[in-house]
């Protein structure tokens, strides 16, 4: 009788992840995640949870007490926000300028909302006046809007949206998965009621934990739908008739788990908590504005570099995120084969895209730990060699030279 072979310990290949995310994590984040586990009510654990909350208040630029982590990928944060804020039948307005606006609309639809979408061409963003006209016309309970959509690389301006929503009695939720930490974000100053993100992009960690912040208005909305599950419910606990239909993503119970009551809801993902804490610590140690500036410079260098190779940039560059650029795949280069050559020969990953842009553009990121000079120049040097191999006429050294000029100027 023979037994099946036992595989060797996991040993991933060396990769430089220069796509739109996930990206290469900060080494200190990976070290933090290897720290020993403790029990979920160990004083060290609850102190670390509280400390992490305070760190993310600074990352989000908010005083919101309800700032915490959702255990799951960035999509878990999105779903927790929408299913907890939206009652069945509520009107939700979603301006769509890429794939992830469609995702917000789908999640709202699954929450049984009456979903209204507003669309613009991929590669563009919405003027505030257009959003306000739709708010007046639709009269939604919630406006759900992506800040940075990596499918198009566009960064939707948010600084006027919160005031519009407040004036019309609308809650304002934004998905900052791809933008937080690499582009400006001011939760309080912009009047954001709810925002979610992930670690795997500008924050420089792995996917699996979703920072979230909620305004007092959003917390009031969640509290009005509160029901605590049988088995941990106590006398006097509320039991709303229109309670949140998801147990795992019920922000009412999750807030009690992270709050002074420490009401058991789930077992906190300890290693992810350590990683999320370190992502925020690294950002704040460098300085929030300094990190955003580093992303701006690295993004500007990558943009100059691809243009220095003679490539066309997709979309409205004036509204491009700091952290990712979409480039048109030149003739006669086969897009997928060239991406594979980057991976096989240089260990560098760049991204394809979705929907109408699939096979038309590559998306190249400069996020988190990889928003640095050597990563940008190495990627451009490798891309030049691959383009030439597949028959594209590109200036010798043009990408590296143009990017180097940007770094020198900064």
């Amino acid at each position: 009788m023979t037994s099946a072979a036992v595989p060797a310990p996991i040993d991933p290949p060396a990769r430089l992840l220069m796509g739109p995310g996930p990206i290469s994590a900060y080494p200190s984040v990976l070290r933090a995640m290897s720290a020993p586990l403790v029990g979920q009510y160990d004083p060290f654990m609850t102190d670390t949870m509280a400390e992490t909350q305070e760190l993310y208040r600074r990352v989000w630029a908010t005083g919101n007490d309800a700032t915490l982590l959702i255990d799951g990928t960035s999509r878990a944060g999105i779903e927790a926000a929408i299913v907890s804020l939206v009652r069945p039948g509520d009107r939700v307005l979603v301006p769509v300028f890429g794939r992830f606006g469609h995702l917000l609309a789908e999640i709202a639809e699954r929450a049984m909302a009456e979903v209204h979408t507003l669309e613009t061409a991929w590669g563009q963003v919405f003027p505030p006046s257009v959003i306000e006209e739709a708010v007046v016309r639709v009269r939604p309970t919630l406006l759900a809007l992506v800040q940075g959509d990596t499918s198009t690389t566009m960064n939707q301006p948010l600084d006027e949206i919160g005031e519009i929503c407040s004036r019309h009695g609308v809650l304002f939720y934004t998905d900052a998965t791809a933008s937080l930490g690499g582009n400006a974000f001011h939760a309080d100053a912009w009047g954001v009621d709810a925002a979610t993100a992930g670690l795997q992009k500008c924050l420089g960690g792995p996917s699996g934990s979703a920072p979230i912040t909620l305004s007092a208005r959003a917390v009031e909305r969640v509290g009005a739908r509160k029901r605590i599950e049988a088995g941990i419910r106590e006398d006097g606990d509320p039991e709303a008739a229109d309670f949140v239909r998801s147990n795992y993503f019920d922000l009412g119970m999750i807030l009690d788990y992270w709050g002074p009551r420490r009401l058991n809801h789930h077992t906190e993902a300890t290693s992810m908590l350590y990683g999320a804490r370190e992502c925020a610590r690294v950002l704040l140690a460098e300085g929030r504005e300094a990190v955003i500036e580093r992303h701006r410079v690295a993004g500007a260098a990558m943009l100059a570099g691809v243009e220095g190779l003679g490539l066309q940039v997709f979309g409205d560059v004036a509204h491009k995120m700091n952290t990712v650029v979409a480039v048109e795949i030149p003739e006669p280069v086969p897009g997928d084969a060239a991406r594979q050559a980057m991976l096989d020969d240089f260990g560098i990953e760049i991204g394809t895209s979705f929907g109408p842009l699939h096979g038309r553009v590559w998306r190249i990121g400069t996020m988190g730990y990889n928003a640095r000079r050597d990563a940008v120049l190495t990627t451009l040097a490798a891309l030049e060699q691959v383009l030439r191999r597949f028959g594209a006429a590109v200036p010798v050294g043009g990408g590296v030279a143009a990017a180097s000029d940007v770094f020198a100027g900064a």
Side-chain angles (χ1 to χ4, degrees):
M1 185 176 188
T2 60
S3 60
V6 176
I10 194 162
D11 185 24
R15 297 287 193 237
L16 178 59
L17 301 181
M18 297 296 288
I23 50 77
S24 310
Y26 289 107
S28 66
V29 171
L30 299 179
R31 288 195 295 270
M33 293 182 68
S34 68
L37 304 183
V38 297
Q40 65 173 324
Y41 294 115
D42 188 294
F44 177 82
M45 181 68 167
T46 53
D47 287 350
T48 300
M49 291 170 74
E51 186 177 59
T52 302
Q53 290 181 275
E54 182 53 36
L55 290 171
Y56 275 95
R57 290 185 187 106
R58 295 164 63 188
V59 171
W60 286 113
T62 185
N64 290 339
D65 182 65
T67 301
L68 50 120
L69 305 174
I70 303 298
D71 287 336
T73 65
S74 51
R75 189 172 299 210
I78 296 169
E79 188 148 348
I82 291 176
V83 302
S84 296
L85 292 171
V86 174
R87 293 182 173 98
D90 278 354
R91 291 181 183 175
V92 174
L93 175 62
V94 184
V96 176
F97 59 100
R99 176 196 168 181
F100 295 102
H102 288 299
L103 174 64
L104 301 190
E106 173 161 328
I107 292 174
E109 185 177 13
R110 288 172 182 260
M112 301 181 69
E114 179 187 315
V115 179
H116 297 256
T117 58
L118 180 67
E119 298 200 32
T120 190
W122 286 32
Q124 303 297 315
V125 295
F126 291 96
S129 60
V130 172
I131 292 177
E132 182 164 23
E133 183 281 327
V135 166
V136 170
R137 173 170 44 84
V138 174
R139 293 176 290 112
T141 297
L142 179 77
L143 174 72
L145 179 60
V146 175
Q147 182 187 28
D149 196 313
T150 54
S151 68
T152 66
T153 77
M154 293 297 103
N155 190 50
Q156 170 67 47
L158 301 180
D159 54 321
E160 298 180 45
I161 306 302
E163 190 277 330
I164 291 169
C165 288
S166 178
R167 186 154 27 92
H168 295 286
V170 176
L171 286 171
F172 174 30
Y173 161 70
T174 186
D175 167 21
T177 296
S179 49
L180 184 67
N183 300 268
F185 195 97
H186 304 282
D188 287 356
W190 292 350
V192 175
D193 288 302
T196 61
L199 304 184
Q200 75 275 18
K201 297 185 186 277
C202 308
L203 294 175
S207 180
S209 183
I212 184 171
T213 190
L214 302 168
S215 73
R217 285 206 312 161
V219 171
E220 182 180 7
R221 174 77 170 186
V222 169
R225 305 185 66 200
K226 193 167 183 179
R227 186 182 86 159
I228 295 170
E229 66 191 59
I232 57 174
R233 189 183 305 146
E234 298 177 1
D235 290 343
D237 280 340
E239 189 171 359
D242 62 342
F243 57 88
V244 176
R245 298 300 168 177
S246 171
N247 176 287
Y248 189 71
F249 294 132
D250 183 343
L251 286 178
M253 287 197 290
I254 294 172
L255 286 169
D256 274 340
Y257 180 54
W258 281 80
R261 191 175 178 186
R262 297 291 176 193
L263 187 66
N264 181 265
H265 176 255
H266 64 283
T267 301
E268 175 60 18
T270 312
S271 297
M272 287 306 309
L273 172 68
Y274 297 164
R277 176 190 179 277
E278 182 64 11
C279 287
R281 192 200 68 79
V282 167
L283 184 148
L284 296 170
E286 184 176 344
R288 187 175 180 273
E289 298 307 315
V291 172
I292 292 171
E293 176 63 9
R294 173 164 60 83
H295 280 86
R296 187 198 67 77
V297 171
M302 185 64 80
L303 173 63
V306 295
E307 290 179 331
L309 289 172
L311 301 178
Q312 293 294 117
V313 176
F314 171 79
D316 177 7
V317 173
H319 289 103
K320 188 187 78 64
M321 285 189 286
N322 290 336
T323 50
V324 60
V325 61
V327 297
E328 304 272 358
I329 301 169
E331 294 290 346
V333 177
D336 288 343
R339 285 181 61 245
Q340 192 63 46
M342 289 281 288
L343 192 66
D344 292 342
D345 297 343
F346 298 96
I348 299 173
E349 179 180 281
I350 62 174
T352 182
S353 195
F354 310 104
L357 297 182
H358 181 69
R360 177 182 163 187
V361 303
W362 293 315
R363 295 175 300 150
I364 306 174
T366 47
M367 294 181 170
Y369 181 56
N370 293 342
R372 62 184 201 270
R373 179 188 178 100
D374 64 306
V376 171
L377 299 186
T378 299
T379 300
L380 288 166
L383 182 60
E384 177 185 337
Q385 296 303 313
V386 169
L387 288 170
R388 186 173 289 114
R389 181 189 313 172
F390 284 103
V394 295
V396 176
V400 169
S404 295
D405 287 345
V406 173
F407 283 116

